[in-house]
Every structure is written in C-alpha cells, then in structure tokens.
C-alpha cells in the first residue's frame, strides 16, 4: 500500500471495516454490492481494492490469522508437543466458528508443496499451514503424532468441522465434540 494516495488508503481501510462487519454477519457470502453500498462507494471501487471475493476475505482475516500464527510459534516451545498442536488446532477451530467465513477462505484449495512458487504465498491458508506445520513437525519428531499426518489433513479437519457445525444453534458445543472425537484418532498409536 505504499505510494497510494491518502484518500485511496482511507477508502481501502473504510471498505475493509465495512467488509469485516458484513462478513461477521453474513459469512463468506457477504454481498460485495452491499459492502460497496454501505461503504458509500461504487462496486467498481470495491473491486479495484479487492479484485476477487477471496482477496476481500483474505484481507478481512489477515490480522487475526497473524495472531494465530504467532500463537503457533509461542506453542512450539511447549514441552508436550501433541498438547501444543491440539491447543492450537482448538484455537483455530474456535476462531473459524467465531469469524464466519474463515473456513470458506481456508477451503479454497490445499497448501502447495514447499518450494512451489505460488502467487498466494501470503494467503491465510498458507500462513496458517506454515505455522501449524511447525507444531506438527515437532509432534511427529516427538512421536506424539503419527508420521503420515499432514498439515493439510489437519486444516481439512478444522474446516470440515467448522463448516459442518456453523449453522447449529450452539456450534461451539457440536464442534468441540467432533474435534475431540477426531483428535483421538490422530495419536501416535492410531487411537
């Protein structure tokens, strides 16, 4: 955003604030036209700042995803690597339920192999995948998690639980139960 005129930066920030509120209310399917109307700009202005729905959603979640990534780095220092991984996944699930639409952003496509050049390197999924991979790698090295588990497997698990439970009357209760059942299955002993 460096080099942007100050009015363009203000527009960007205002559109993003409106988008955050709309996504919180309506989820990933929030109307770009409604966002433009509420922000007091034309839909072309919204699309100039955020050319795709995915770009808008990525921007909405970027700051909170950054906090989850920082949390993963903090948890890497924990002695019980499996507990650290499970705690981080639980936090990711809780945020996915609270921030309607995050699961949709994460479900666009699986992570790319390391070393593969990808324009979306700074995407929410890539950032969370990289952060979670640190925790997973440590848990696998400690033989606390099966070696065949991948970060993509775990992100699919979280996304699936979030999407399957987000419309329940009390999604957190149902999501927690599904999470506990799933976590029991990825231990080092296969249980």
């Amino acid at each position: 955003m460096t080099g942007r005129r100050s009015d363009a930066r203000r527009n960007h920030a205002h559109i993003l604030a409106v988008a955050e509120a709309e996504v919180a209310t309506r989820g990933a399917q929030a109307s770009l036209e409604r966002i433009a109307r509420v922000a007091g700009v034309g839909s072309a202005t919204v699309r100039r700042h955020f050319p795709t729905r995915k770009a808008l959603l990525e921007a909405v979640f970027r700051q909170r995803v950054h906090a989850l990534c920082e949390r993963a780095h903090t948890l890497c220092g924990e002695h019980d690597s499996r507990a650290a991984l499970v705690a981080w996944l639980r936090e990711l699930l809780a945020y996915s339920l609270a921030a309607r639409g995050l699961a949709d952003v994460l479900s666009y496509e699986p992570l790319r192999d390391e070393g593969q050049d990808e324009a979306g390197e700074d995407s929410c999924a890539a950032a969370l995948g990289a952060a979670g991979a640190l925790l997973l790698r440590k848990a696998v090295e400690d033989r606390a998690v099966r070696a065949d588990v991948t970060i993509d497997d775990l992100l699919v698990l979280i996304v699936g639980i979030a999407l399957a439970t987000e419309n329940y009357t009390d999604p957190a209760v149902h999501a927690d139960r599904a999470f506990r059942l799933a976590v029991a299955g990825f231990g080092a002993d296969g249980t």
Side-chain angles (χ1 to χ4, degrees), residues 104-122:
D104 291 289
V105 168
L106 297 178
S107 67
Y108 275 100
E109 62 183 80
L111 295 176
R112 302 288 183 204
D113 292 332
E114 286 183 40
Q116 184 176 356
D117 219 8
E118 177 63 29
E121 286 177 1
D122 65 342

mmCIF file of all heavy atoms in Angstrom, residues 104-122:
data_model
loop_
_atom_site.group_PDB
_atom_site.id
_atom_site.type_symbol
_atom_site.label_atom_id
_atom_site.label_comp_id
_atom_site.label_asym_id
_atom_site.label_seq_id
_atom_site.Cartn_x
_atom_site.Cartn_y
_atom_site.Cartn_z
ATOM 1 N N ASP A 104 -14.380 -20.859 4.914
ATOM 2 C CA ASP A 104 -14.507 -20.771 3.457
ATOM 3 C C ASP A 104 -13.195 -20.349 2.818
ATOM 4 O O ASP A 104 -12.808 -20.862 1.769
ATOM 5 C CB ASP A 104 -15.615 -19.790 3.063
ATOM 6 C CG ASP A 104 -16.983 -20.319 3.423
ATOM 7 O OD1 ASP A 104 -17.433 -21.268 2.768
ATOM 8 O OD2 ASP A 104 -17.593 -19.779 4.358
ATOM 9 N N VAL A 105 -12.502 -19.408 3.427
ATOM 10 C CA VAL A 105 -11.212 -18.951 2.899
ATOM 11 C C VAL A 105 -10.208 -20.101 2.927
ATOM 12 O O VAL A 105 -9.472 -20.320 1.973
ATOM 13 C CB VAL A 105 -10.671 -17.747 3.701
ATOM 14 C CG1 VAL A 105 -9.217 -17.469 3.358
ATOM 15 C CG2 VAL A 105 -11.504 -16.520 3.421
ATOM 16 N N LEU A 106 -10.198 -20.849 4.008
ATOM 17 C CA LEU A 106 -9.249 -21.941 4.139
ATOM 18 C C LEU A 106 -9.581 -23.107 3.222
ATOM 19 O O LEU A 106 -8.716 -23.909 2.890
ATOM 20 C CB LEU A 106 -9.189 -22.430 5.589
ATOM 21 C CG LEU A 106 -8.697 -21.420 6.606
ATOM 22 C CD1 LEU A 106 -8.741 -22.021 8.003
ATOM 23 C CD2 LEU A 106 -7.304 -20.940 6.276
ATOM 24 N N SER A 107 -10.834 -23.198 2.800
ATOM 25 C CA SER A 107 -11.231 -24.347 1.984
ATOM 26 C C SER A 107 -11.083 -24.103 0.488
ATOM 27 O O SER A 107 -11.458 -24.950 -0.307
ATOM 28 C CB SER A 107 -12.672 -24.753 2.305
ATOM 29 O OG SER A 107 -13.581 -23.758 1.896
ATOM 30 N N TYR A 108 -10.555 -22.971 0.081
ATOM 31 C CA TYR A 108 -10.408 -22.718 -1.354
ATOM 32 C C TYR A 108 -9.517 -23.744 -2.029
ATOM 33 O O TYR A 108 -9.800 -24.214 -3.102
ATOM 34 C CB TYR A 108 -9.871 -21.306 -1.623
ATOM 35 C CG TYR A 108 -10.962 -20.283 -1.659
ATOM 36 C CD1 TYR A 108 -11.204 -19.491 -0.545
ATOM 37 C CD2 TYR A 108 -11.758 -20.123 -2.766
ATOM 38 C CE1 TYR A 108 -12.215 -18.555 -0.563
ATOM 39 C CE2 TYR A 108 -12.771 -19.180 -2.790
ATOM 40 C CZ TYR A 108 -12.995 -18.400 -1.685
ATOM 41 O OH TYR A 108 -14.000 -17.481 -1.702
ATOM 42 N N GLU A 109 -8.387 -24.064 -1.434
ATOM 43 C CA GLU A 109 -7.508 -25.076 -2.014
ATOM 44 C C GLU A 109 -6.479 -25.493 -0.989
ATOM 45 O O GLU A 109 -6.134 -24.736 -0.084
ATOM 46 C CB GLU A 109 -6.816 -24.558 -3.272
ATOM 47 C CG GLU A 109 -5.918 -23.361 -3.042
ATOM 48 C CD GLU A 109 -5.319 -22.846 -4.337
ATOM 49 O OE1 GLU A 109 -6.019 -22.128 -5.062
ATOM 50 O OE2 GLU A 109 -4.161 -23.182 -4.600
ATOM 51 N N PRO A 110 -5.969 -26.715 -1.109
ATOM 52 C CA PRO A 110 -4.942 -27.173 -0.167
ATOM 53 C C PRO A 110 -3.650 -26.389 -0.348
ATOM 54 O O PRO A 110 -3.450 -25.740 -1.373
ATOM 55 C CB PRO A 110 -4.719 -28.639 -0.540
ATOM 56 C CG PRO A 110 -5.681 -28.969 -1.606
ATOM 57 C CD PRO A 110 -6.352 -27.704 -2.062
ATOM 58 N N LEU A 111 -2.798 -26.500 0.621
ATOM 59 C CA LEU A 111 -1.499 -25.830 0.556
ATOM 60 C C LEU A 111 -0.669 -26.415 -0.567
ATOM 61 O O LEU A 111 -0.835 -27.562 -0.959
ATOM 62 C CB LEU A 111 -0.760 -26.012 1.879
ATOM 63 C CG LEU A 111 -1.409 -25.351 3.082
ATOM 64 C CD1 LEU A 111 -0.629 -25.700 4.323
ATOM 65 C CD2 LEU A 111 -1.485 -23.862 2.895
ATOM 66 N N ARG A 112 0.244 -25.620 -1.053
ATOM 67 C CA ARG A 112 1.167 -26.073 -2.092
ATOM 68 C C ARG A 112 2.359 -26.749 -1.431
ATOM 69 O O ARG A 112 2.675 -26.483 -0.271
ATOM 70 C CB ARG A 112 1.663 -24.880 -2.923
ATOM 71 C CG ARG A 112 0.561 -24.104 -3.572
ATOM 72 C CD ARG A 112 -0.003 -24.922 -4.688
ATOM 73 N NE ARG A 112 -1.029 -24.132 -5.354
ATOM 74 C CZ ARG A 112 -2.004 -24.656 -6.036
ATOM 75 N NH1 ARG A 112 -2.135 -25.953 -6.139
ATOM 76 N NH2 ARG A 112 -2.903 -23.897 -6.628
ATOM 77 N N ASP A 113 3.024 -27.607 -2.186
ATOM 78 C CA ASP A 113 4.248 -28.230 -1.681
ATOM 79 C C ASP A 113 5.276 -27.147 -1.410
ATOM 80 O O ASP A 113 5.307 -26.128 -2.093
ATOM 81 C CB ASP A 113 4.830 -29.199 -2.715
ATOM 82 C CG ASP A 113 3.932 -30.403 -2.905
ATOM 83 O OD1 ASP A 113 3.216 -30.751 -1.957
ATOM 84 O OD2 ASP A 113 3.957 -30.985 -4.014
ATOM 85 N N GLU A 114 6.130 -27.380 -0.436
ATOM 86 C CA GLU A 114 7.198 -26.426 -0.156
ATOM 87 C C GLU A 114 8.043 -26.249 -1.408
ATOM 88 O O GLU A 114 8.313 -27.198 -2.129
ATOM 89 C CB GLU A 114 8.065 -26.926 0.994
ATOM 90 C CG GLU A 114 7.379 -26.791 2.339
ATOM 91 C CD GLU A 114 8.285 -27.219 3.460
ATOM 92 O OE1 GLU A 114 9.495 -26.912 3.412
ATOM 93 O OE2 GLU A 114 7.781 -27.857 4.388
ATOM 94 N N GLY A 115 8.426 -25.028 -1.667
ATOM 95 C CA GLY A 115 9.275 -24.748 -2.808
ATOM 96 C C GLY A 115 8.509 -24.444 -4.079
ATOM 97 O O GLY A 115 9.076 -23.974 -5.041
ATOM 98 N N GLN A 116 7.214 -24.726 -4.092
ATOM 99 C CA GLN A 116 6.434 -24.426 -5.295
ATOM 100 C C GLN A 116 6.093 -22.951 -5.295
ATOM 101 O O GLN A 116 5.574 -22.428 -4.321
ATOM 102 C CB GLN A 116 5.152 -25.264 -5.319
ATOM 103 C CG GLN A 116 4.354 -25.059 -6.590
ATOM 104 C CD GLN A 116 3.139 -25.981 -6.636
ATOM 105 O OE1 GLN A 116 2.940 -26.799 -5.766
ATOM 106 N NE2 GLN A 116 2.323 -25.813 -7.644
ATOM 107 N N ASP A 117 6.416 -22.261 -6.367
ATOM 108 C CA ASP A 117 6.136 -20.843 -6.479
ATOM 109 C C ASP A 117 4.641 -20.625 -6.574
ATOM 110 O O ASP A 117 3.980 -21.228 -7.388
ATOM 111 C CB ASP A 117 6.829 -20.277 -7.728
ATOM 112 C CG ASP A 117 7.400 -18.910 -7.483
ATOM 113 O OD1 ASP A 117 7.391 -18.477 -6.322
ATOM 114 O OD2 ASP A 117 7.848 -18.290 -8.464
ATOM 115 N N GLU A 118 4.089 -19.783 -5.767
ATOM 116 C CA GLU A 118 2.645 -19.565 -5.736
ATOM 117 C C GLU A 118 2.394 -18.101 -5.427
ATOM 118 O O GLU A 118 2.934 -17.562 -4.484
ATOM 119 C CB GLU A 118 2.016 -20.467 -4.665
ATOM 120 C CG GLU A 118 0.547 -20.294 -4.476
ATOM 121 C CD GLU A 118 -0.273 -20.660 -5.703
ATOM 122 O OE1 GLU A 118 0.146 -21.510 -6.481
ATOM 123 O OE2 GLU A 118 -1.342 -20.068 -5.882
ATOM 124 N N ALA A 119 1.519 -17.495 -6.212
ATOM 125 C CA ALA A 119 1.211 -16.078 -6.012
ATOM 126 C C ALA A 119 0.562 -15.835 -4.662
ATOM 127 O O ALA A 119 0.673 -14.769 -4.088
ATOM 128 C CB ALA A 119 0.307 -15.589 -7.136
ATOM 129 N N GLY A 120 -0.116 -16.828 -4.108
ATOM 130 C CA GLY A 120 -0.834 -16.654 -2.851
ATOM 131 C C GLY A 120 -0.031 -17.038 -1.634
ATOM 132 O O GLY A 120 -0.591 -17.494 -0.658
ATOM 133 N N GLU A 121 1.289 -16.868 -1.672
ATOM 134 C CA GLU A 121 2.124 -17.258 -0.545
ATOM 135 C C GLU A 121 1.704 -16.592 0.759
ATOM 136 O O GLU A 121 1.907 -17.134 1.821
ATOM 137 C CB GLU A 121 3.591 -16.922 -0.820
ATOM 138 C CG GLU A 121 4.245 -17.842 -1.808
ATOM 139 C CD GLU A 121 5.671 -17.435 -2.103
ATOM 140 O OE1 GLU A 121 6.153 -16.445 -1.515
ATOM 141 O OE2 GLU A 121 6.297 -18.100 -2.933
ATOM 142 N N ASP A 122 1.123 -15.394 0.678
ATOM 143 C CA ASP A 122 0.732 -14.709 1.896
ATOM 144 C C ASP A 122 -0.741 -14.925 2.214
ATOM 145 O O ASP A 122 -1.326 -14.198 2.993
ATOM 146 C CB ASP A 122 1.060 -13.217 1.803
ATOM 147 C CG ASP A 122 0.265 -12.510 0.721
ATOM 148 O OD1 ASP A 122 -0.268 -13.188 -0.176
ATOM 149 O OD2 ASP A 122 0.179 -11.268 0.776
#
